[in-house]
Amino acid sequence: MIPFIYLASQSPRRRQLLEQLGVRHELLLPNADGDVAEDSEAIEAERPGEAPARYVQRVTGLKLDAAVARRIRRGLPDAPILCSDTTVALGRTIYGKPEDAAHARRMLAELAGRTHRVLTAVALQQGTERSVALSISKVTFAPLSPAQIAAYVDSGEPMGKAGAYGIQGPAAQHVSHLAGSYTGIMGLPLFETARLLRGAGVLRD
């Protein structure tokens, strides 16, 4: 049994979900004291015409590449590294994290009353072996008034979240239908993640 894994994510939700699986983990985050700077904005930059599924898998792979290099650079013990990335898509339009409150309001206004996809890619690196998985869910928002959108944005919750909302927070009251993985929408699909961890010997059946 592998004693622990590294989680290359700053999301407290991903930590919480990984804890639900009973997996011991240590954070492997960028920009530690004395470490080299990493350009997360460049990693998350979209390519013209890139499909959402391709985008989220490519970004997850790049984040995992950076985490693997980070572990080696810091001389940390070898252990599997888990990385994940989530994006929201309406058609082929990708909705990442809002830049500011006005951007968050625009995103939510476009998602209101419509069905969008939430795509979460997961990747696990163990030695030279890498395994990946993709979770795609559909979320339907009820129509939202400008006042409802403004109140939600003013709460500060949309910031730092793909699509400018968190399914585990107050935004859930406006979700009229959900199909797929609730934990995937939160940021770490536990079915797919557990399958990768079992394959690596981290979890047992």
Side-chain angles (χ1 to χ4, degrees), residues 144-199:
L144 296 170
S145 69
Q148 287 175 313
I149 291 173
Y152 181 63
V153 173
D154 287 346
S155 74
E157 186 171 281
M159 307 314 295
K161 296 180 176 65
Y165 77 93
I167 192 69
Q168 71 283 356
Q173 66 187 300
H174 303 300
V175 173
S176 61
H177 185 73
L178 183 159
S181 169
Y182 182 82
T183 54
I185 297 168
M186 285 182 68
L188 189 69
L190 290 188
F191 178 81
E192 289 82 357
T193 301
R195 187 168 56 188
L196 296 183
L197 293 172
R198 287 191 191 98

Side-chain angles (χ1 to χ4, degrees), residues 9-114:
S9 174
Q10 300 190 51
S11 167
R13 295 170 298 281
R14 291 194 178 108
R15 292 197 69 183
Q16 174 191 349
L17 290 167
L18 198 55
E19 286 167 0
Q20 284 184 224
L21 294 178
V23 176
R24 180 172 168 251
H25 60 278
E26 297 182 9
L27 295 180
L28 182 58
L29 304 178
N31 301 328
D33 291 342
D35 200 5
V36 300
E38 296 180 20
D39 191 348
S40 60
E41 289 187 6
I43 289 176
E44 296 180 1
E46 298 174 35
R47 292 176 177 172
E50 189 171 26
R54 170 61 184 160
Y55 165 79
V56 74
Q57 292 177 94
R58 179 178 61 81
V59 169
T60 301
L62 291 174
K63 288 184 175 181
L64 186 52
D65 289 342
V68 170
R70 194 181 307 142
R71 184 200 68 77
I72 295 171
R73 188 170 62 246
R74 295 177 185 172
L76 297 173
D78 190 14
I81 302 173
L82 182 71
C83 190
S84 183
D85 191 69
T86 301
T87 196
V88 167
L90 189 61
R92 289 181 64 89
T93 302
I94 294 170
Y95 291 74
K97 299 169 186 175
E99 298 170 1
D100 52 31
H103 191 201
R105 287 193 294 271
R106 289 197 302 273
M107 282 189 185
L108 291 168
E110 292 175 14
L111 296 177
R114 306 176 76 177

